[in-house]
Amino acid sequence: MTQARQIAERLLDAQVDYLLGEVTGERFAEVIARDVAAVLAVGDTIRFGDVVSLADGEETVARVFDRIGGSPVIADTVGVFSDAIYDHIATNTDYTLGDVVDREPVEALLEKIFGMHQAQERILDRLTESPLVATVASRFVDKLIGDFMQANRERAEKIPGVSSLMSLGQSAANRAKKVAADSTFVGDLAGKGALFALKRTNNAIRDMLRDAPVHSAAMEFWDLHADEPVAGLREYLTQKDLNELVQICYEIAVTTREKEYFGLLVRECVEVFYTRYADHTLSSMLPELGLNADDISTEILRYGPGVIEAAKRNGVLAELLRERLEPFYFSDQVLGILAGE
């Protein structure tokens, strides 16, 4: 048995050396191409629905959102990424906004938004249910009227004798405002007036969205910026503004991820995906994802050699291979074979 163990030691050393050679130099690329092709060939014989259950898929996706979505790495880098993007935008004059974003999809997006009349109607209807929004609309209308009256007064005061009449009218208006503030009845009328102002404002918005050339105006606004350098975007907000906006959006995403309803949405999406692809083989799903065997091999070869070479240099790879193979070569069955039993 001692001689059998010595033979097993030699065979173990030989196989470890062989496997190390498989992941060295050009041979590694050949091995990856061979093994990827073999895996895909096996994948062509296995249906997605046979190896992945709907429950397993739901649990996996939920775990990804739960663990990765709220991971410390993402939390720590969100602000750093926003600062880095701002720094790059602040100095980049090589590209215009039109170089980065094509005009056609922007035009299609705006056309779709302005054409969503059902959503617009619903939003405007719900706005009328808010007393605070009604008050804001009333003040908005008052501001427009006030500015109009102020402009006319400035013109009228240039005419001799009219200035005193305008002052008298303004004094009467101020007294009326004071009475409105002290009178419940007038206050009720003011509330109704605010609602009336809101409805008129909503009607104006509705008519503008449907009849006015809003889409053309929006595209004209886009065209004015499309030829400007991307660096010009920093004029719209400071680095602190961008950082805080990104942090707020991330917080919304993280807190939404924890809600039960979000889990229902995830499960529904997984179910739709499962229903659509359950009958596909594993390998046939790769083209659906925009991948092929060359893509997989390329990505493995992009990172694999560096990791493997580092593990070879410090002896970790050889030790791992030996740990995995040693139980087999030193098993009673193999030692008995080598001993001729």
Side-chain angles (χ1 to χ4, degrees):
M1 187 62 70
T2 301
Q3 184 179 6
R5 188 173 183 87
Q6 292 174 347
I7 296 174
E9 285 274 8
R10 293 171 59 190
L11 288 173
L12 175 59
D13 291 339
Q15 185 163 13
V16 169
D17 290 340
Y18 173 79
L19 292 176
L20 289 174
E22 289 277 272
V23 294
T24 300
E26 296 180 359
R27 178 60 182 157
F28 182 58
E30 297 174 2
V31 170
I32 292 300
R34 178 200 68 195
D35 291 348
V36 168
V39 170
L40 293 181
V42 173
D44 268 332
T45 67
I46 302 174
R47 290 174 61 254
F48 174 71
D50 291 337
V51 295
V52 179
S53 69
L54 177 59
D56 289 339
E58 291 176 348
E59 184 176 347
T60 297
V61 175
R63 185 178 298 274
V64 169
F65 278 106
D66 181 52
R67 299 294 175 83
I68 298 179
S71 67
V73 172
I74 296 180
D76 291 341
T77 55
V78 163
V80 177
F81 284 158
S82 69
D83 290 341
I85 291 173
Y86 189 91
D87 289 339
H88 181 65
I89 290 176
T91 58
N92 192 307
T93 57
D94 297 331
Y95 299 94
T96 64
L97 189 58
D99 293 331
V100 179
V101 182
D102 290 337
R103 189 180 193 275
E104 289 75 12
V106 173
E107 185 173 15
L109 175 62
L110 292 175
E111 185 175 358
K112 180 61 181 177
I113 292 175
F114 293 131
M116 296 171 62
H117 300 309
Q118 180 178 346
Q120 296 163 10
E121 293 287 345
R122 182 58 176 162
I123 292 172
L124 293 175
D125 288 342
R126 292 306 300 265
L127 286 176
T128 60
E129 300 174 9
S130 170
L132 182 57
V133 174
T135 301
V136 172
S138 178
R139 291 181 180 177
F140 175 70
V141 174
D142 288 346
K143 177 64 175 174
L144 290 178
I145 296 175
D147 289 347
F148 176 77
M149 294 295 294
Q150 176 66 23
N152 285 338
R153 187 180 70 175
E154 291 175 356
R155 294 190 185 95
E157 286 177 345
K158 297 178 181 179
I159 303 174
V162 176
S163 177
S164 58
L165 293 176
M166 294 295 294
S167 298
L168 180 62
Q170 184 65 46
S171 176
N174 291 335
R175 287 195 299 271
K177 287 183 179 180
K178 185 177 186 305
V179 172
D182 298 335
S183 172
T184 303
F185 174 73
V186 177
D188 292 339
L189 290 179
K192 294 179 181 179
L195 181 60
F196 175 77
L198 176 58
K199 291 182 177 179
R200 292 301 300 266
T201 303
N202 286 351
N203 289 334
I205 294 174
R206 184 183 294 108
D207 293 339
M208 180 187 69
L209 291 175
R210 293 198 173 188
D211 300 330
V214 179
H215 178 264
S216 298
M219 290 310 302
E220 184 174 290
F221 177 80
W222 167 263
D223 291 333
L224 288 173
H225 291 77
D227 294 331
E228 296 182 357
V230 176
L233 294 176
R234 64 188 176 93
E235 297 178 5
Y236 288 91
L237 73 171
T238 66
Q239 186 173 34
K240 183 174 182 291
D241 291 332
L242 177 61
N243 187 287
E244 291 178 350
L245 283 173
V246 171
Q247 294 285 1
I248 291 171
C249 291
Y250 173 73
E251 184 65 21
I252 292 174
V254 170
T255 54
T256 302
R257 170 185 60 89
E258 299 171 351
K259 300 297 189 295
E260 181 179 356
Y261 183 71
F262 181 78
L264 296 176
L265 293 178
V266 170
R267 286 194 292 274
E268 180 65 23
C269 292
V270 172
E271 184 174 347
V272 170
F273 181 89
Y274 188 85
T275 302
R276 183 178 180 85
Y277 292 104
D279 292 332
H280 284 59
T281 65
L282 296 179
S283 296
S284 67
M285 291 181 62
L286 289 178
E288 300 288 340
L289 297 173
L291 299 173
N292 56 39
D294 290 339
D295 295 326
I296 298 174
S297 298
T298 297
E299 294 308 315
I300 294 175
L301 292 173
R302 189 189 308 277
Y303 304 105
V307 175
I308 290 174
E309 286 301 320
K312 283 177 61 178
R313 284 194 301 270
N314 59 23
V316 172
L317 182 58
E319 183 178 346
L320 288 174
L321 291 173
R322 183 174 294 278
E323 287 178 358
R324 300 300 184 272
L325 296 172
E326 190 174 66
F328 169 75
Y329 282 102
F330 291 164
S331 65
D332 293 338
Q333 183 180 10
V334 173
L335 290 177
I337 292 172
L338 295 176
E341 297 176 358

